[in-house]
Coordinates of all heavy atoms in Angstrom, one line a residue:
S95 N -104.1 23.7 -46.0 CA -103.8 23.0 -47.2 C -103.0 23.9 -48.2 O -103.4 25.0 -48.4 CB -105.0 22.4 -47.9 OG -104.7 21.6 -49.0
F96 N -101.9 23.4 -48.7 CA -101.1 24.1 -49.6 C -100.7 23.2 -50.8 O -100.7 22.0 -50.7 CB -99.8 24.6 -49.0 CG -100.1 25.4 -47.7 CD1 -100.0 24.7 -46.5 CD2 -100.4 26.7 -47.7 CE1 -100.2 25.4 -45.3 CE2 -100.7 27.4 -46.5 CZ -100.6 26.7 -45.3
R97 N -100.4 23.8 -51.9 CA -100.0 23.1 -53.1 C -98.6 23.6 -53.5 O -98.4 24.7 -53.7 CB -101.0 23.4 -54.3 CG -100.6 22.9 -55.6 CD -100.4 21.3 -55.7 NE -101.6 20.7 -55.5 CZ -101.8 19.3 -55.5 NH1 -100.7 18.6 -55.7 NH2 -102.9 18.8 -55.3
T98 N -97.7 22.6 -53.6 CA -96.3 22.9 -54.0 C -96.2 22.3 -55.4 O -97.1 21.6 -56.0 CB -95.3 22.3 -53.1 OG1 -95.3 20.9 -53.2 CG2 -95.6 22.7 -51.7
L99 N -95.0 22.5 -56.0 CA -94.7 22.0 -57.4 C -94.7 20.4 -57.4 O -95.0 19.8 -58.4 CB -93.4 22.5 -57.9 CG -93.3 24.0 -58.2 CD1 -91.9 24.4 -58.6 CD2 -94.3 24.4 -59.3
S100 N -94.3 19.9 -56.2 CA -94.2 18.4 -56.2 C -95.4 17.7 -55.6 O -95.7 16.6 -56.0 CB -93.0 18.0 -55.4 OG -93.0 18.6 -54.0
A101 N -96.1 18.3 -54.7 CA -97.2 17.6 -54.0 C -98.1 18.6 -53.2 O -97.7 19.8 -53.0 CB -96.7 16.5 -53.1
A102 N -99.2 18.1 -52.7 CA -100.0 18.9 -51.7 C -99.5 18.7 -50.3 O -99.0 17.6 -49.9 CB -101.4 18.4 -51.8
V103 N -99.5 19.8 -49.6 CA -99.0 19.8 -48.2 C -100.3 20.1 -47.3 O -100.8 21.2 -47.3 CB -97.9 20.8 -47.9 CG1 -97.6 20.8 -46.4 CG2 -96.7 20.5 -48.8
N104 N -100.7 19.0 -46.5 CA -101.9 19.2 -45.7 C -101.4 19.1 -44.2 O -100.7 18.2 -43.8 CB -102.9 18.1 -46.0 CG -103.5 18.2 -47.4 OD1 -103.7 19.3 -47.9 ND2 -103.7 17.1 -48.0
I105 N -101.8 20.1 -43.4 CA -101.5 20.1 -42.0 C -102.9 20.1 -41.3 O -103.6 21.1 -41.2 CB -100.7 21.4 -41.7 CG1 -99.4 21.4 -42.4 CG2 -100.5 21.5 -40.2 CD1 -98.6 22.6 -42.3
D106 N -103.1 18.9 -40.7 CA -104.4 18.7 -40.1 C -104.3 18.5 -38.6 O -103.8 17.5 -38.1 CB -105.0 17.4 -40.7 CG -106.5 17.2 -40.3 OD1 -107.0 18.0 -39.5 OD2 -107.1 16.3 -40.8
F107 N -104.8 19.5 -37.8 CA -104.7 19.5 -36.4 C -105.8 18.7 -35.7 O -105.7 18.3 -34.5 CB -104.7 20.9 -35.8 CG -103.5 21.8 -36.2 CD1 -103.6 22.6 -37.3 CD2 -102.3 21.7 -35.6 CE1 -102.6 23.4 -37.8 CE2 -101.2 22.5 -36.0 CZ -101.4 23.3 -37.1
T108 N -106.9 18.4 -36.5 CA -108.0 17.6 -35.9 C -107.5 16.2 -35.5 O -108.2 15.6 -34.6 CB -109.1 17.5 -36.9 OG1 -108.7 16.8 -38.1 CG2 -109.6 18.9 -37.3
L109 N -106.5 15.7 -36.1 CA -106.0 14.4 -35.8 C -105.4 14.3 -34.4 O -105.2 13.2 -33.8 CB -105.0 13.9 -36.8 CG -105.5 13.8 -38.3 CD1 -104.3 13.5 -39.2 CD2 -106.5 12.8 -38.4
L110 N -105.1 15.5 -33.8 CA -104.5 15.6 -32.5 C -105.5 15.9 -31.4 O -105.1 15.9 -30.2 CB -103.3 16.6 -32.5 CG -102.1 16.2 -33.4 CD1 -101.2 17.4 -33.6 CD2 -101.4 15.0 -32.9
R111 N -106.7 16.3 -31.7 CA -107.6 16.8 -30.7 C -107.9 15.8 -29.6 O -108.1 16.2 -28.5 CB -108.9 17.2 -31.4 CG -108.8 18.5 -32.2 CD -108.5 19.7 -31.3 NE -108.3 20.9 -32.1 CZ -107.9 22.1 -31.6 NH1 -107.7 22.1 -30.3 NH2 -107.8 23.1 -32.3
E112 N -107.9 14.5 -29.9 CA -108.2 13.5 -28.9 C -107.0 13.2 -28.1 O -107.2 13.0 -26.8 CB -108.7 12.2 -29.6 CG -109.1 11.1 -28.6 CD -109.6 9.9 -29.3 OE1 -109.8 9.9 -30.5 OE2 -109.7 8.8 -28.6
G113 N -105.8 13.2 -28.6 CA -104.6 12.8 -27.9 C -103.8 13.8 -27.2 O -103.0 13.6 -26.4

Side-chain angles (χ1 to χ4, degrees):
S95 183
F96 309 96
R97 169 64 63 177
T98 68
L99 293 176
S100 58
V103 176
N104 296 321
I105 298 175
D106 190 354
F107 298 95
T108 60
L109 300 174
L110 295 169
R111 287 295 176 188
E112 181 179 350

